[in-house]
Amino acid sequence: MRDKGILVVVSGFSGAGKGTLMKKLVQAYDNYALSVSMTTRAPREGEKDGREYFFVPREVFEEKIRQGGLVEYASYCGNYYGTPKEYVEAQLEAGKDVVLEIEIQGALKVKEKFPSALLLFVMPPSAKELKRRLVGRGTETQEVIRKRLERAVEEARGIENYDYIVINDDLETCARELHSMVRAAHHAPYREEAFIEHIRQELDVLVKGEK
Ligand code: 5GP
């Protein structure tokens, strides 16, 4: 039987480069499935429905909540964001490591529901660089940038809840580091229970045979 995949939660300040990093990770390694969230925010230029997000009106989002169709959801800078349940469950079952790129409130809810989830936090090399990236994106108004920086200050207080931090300076290096953290997590003893039990039984048989 194939092992079940790991639920990998990736958070980080807006502008830390999570989106690009996730795309790189999925391109470079084939064990990942990237969950597409549902949101009530408007699409940015270049974003496509069903690719970056499922863009829906508030009523549709609220109906999805009522149906219990989300793993988690949160409100972020005035909009709803949530993780559709079906895809995540199917991909984990198929042995894929499922990546959720979500903010901190959602990440903590996932950890409550799935204590074995791996929580990673992507940091920019510096606060100045974060602002430079947010402004450079050119898709956000000054007001939105200000809100997102304020939100970063709040989120910075919760980083201790994560398993590892990753600094996104060089994209390739960062993707490689992130991948190695996920690989390492696969070898935690509680994920290797079947193998450990197998060796224990073999050892028992071996020791008995030598008596
Ligand atoms: P953005 O508007 O920049 O695409 O996303 C804003 C924030 O919402 C980011 O921190 C992103 O990680 C987070 N986010 C995206 N999808 C979800 C989701 O399904 N659930 C939660 N809780 N946060 C999400």
Side-chain angles (χ1 to χ4, degrees):
M1 197 190 84
R2 268 192 92 169
D3 283 345
K4 266 183 101 175
I6 293 182
L7 198 50
V8 183
V9 177
V10 179
S11 304
F13 313 132
S14 179
K18 286 162 296 171
T20 323
L21 181 60
M22 294 305 100
K23 278 186 195 138
K24 181 90 210 158
L25 190 73
V26 174
Q27 269 169 15
Y29 308 97
D30 62 7
N31 55 304
Y32 296 104
L34 197 54
S35 160
V36 178
S37 296
M38 188 175 266
T39 184
T40 57
R41 95 153 154 68
R44 290 187 191 123
E45 211 179 301
E47 284 184 334
K48 213 172 123 194
D49 187 42
R51 188 179 64 192
E52 278 79 13
Y53 285 103
F54 295 107
F55 297 98
V56 297
R58 266 191 118 71
E59 309 79 72
V60 173
F61 197 101
E62 283 166 356
E63 181 53 31
K64 192 84 176 167
I65 299 174
R66 274 195 294 275
Q67 290 168 354
L70 299 173
V71 175
E72 60 71 43
Y73 68 95
S75 163
Y76 175 96
C77 297
N79 284 301
Y80 276 135
Y81 294 80
T83 309
K85 200 183 254 177
E86 223 168 274
Y87 178 82
V88 171
E89 287 178 348
Q91 295 295 320
L92 284 176
E93 210 49 56
K96 291 278 185 185
D97 295 324
V98 179
V99 182
L100 310 183
E101 193 241 286
I102 64 179
E103 54 63 71
I104 196 162
Q105 302 166 47
L108 299 182
K109 279 187 224 156
V110 170
K111 189 76 187 171
E112 256 174 47
K113 273 197 192 165
F114 304 92
S116 64
L118 182 67
L119 267 57
L120 309 178
F121 199 96
V122 182
M123 308 267 261
S126 69
K128 258 198 174 150
E129 173 62 15
L130 182 72
K131 179 155 185 206
R132 199 187 65 76
R133 288 183 193 174
L134 270 175
V135 174
R137 189 143 81 182
T139 51
E140 250 78 59
T141 61
Q142 278 209 327
E143 170 61 12
V144 169
I145 293 174
R146 193 183 55 77
K147 265 199 199 165
R148 285 177 176 237
L149 285 173
E150 277 172 14
R151 177 65 190 228
V153 174
E154 264 174 53
E155 294 205 325
R157 294 195 197 106
I159 298 177
E160 283 82 356
N161 294 298
Y162 286 73
D163 294 303
Y164 299 106
I165 64 165
V166 206
I167 297 169
N168 189 10
D169 199 349
D170 174 67
L171 186 64
E172 302 260 337
T173 314
C174 190
R176 204 173 333 113
E177 279 184 5
L178 212 143
H179 178 63
S180 60
M181 287 166 187
V182 176
R183 291 322 303 159
H186 271 279
H187 301 293
Y190 67 90
R191 290 204 181 88
E192 297 272 24
E193 272 172 354
F195 179 67
I196 295 170
E197 192 44 41
H198 175 72
I199 293 277
R200 282 185 179 141
Q201 283 174 9
E202 279 191 345
L203 276 172
D204 275 347
V205 172
L206 205 72
V207 168
K208 276 178 195 144
E210 305 232 325
K211 270 187 191 162

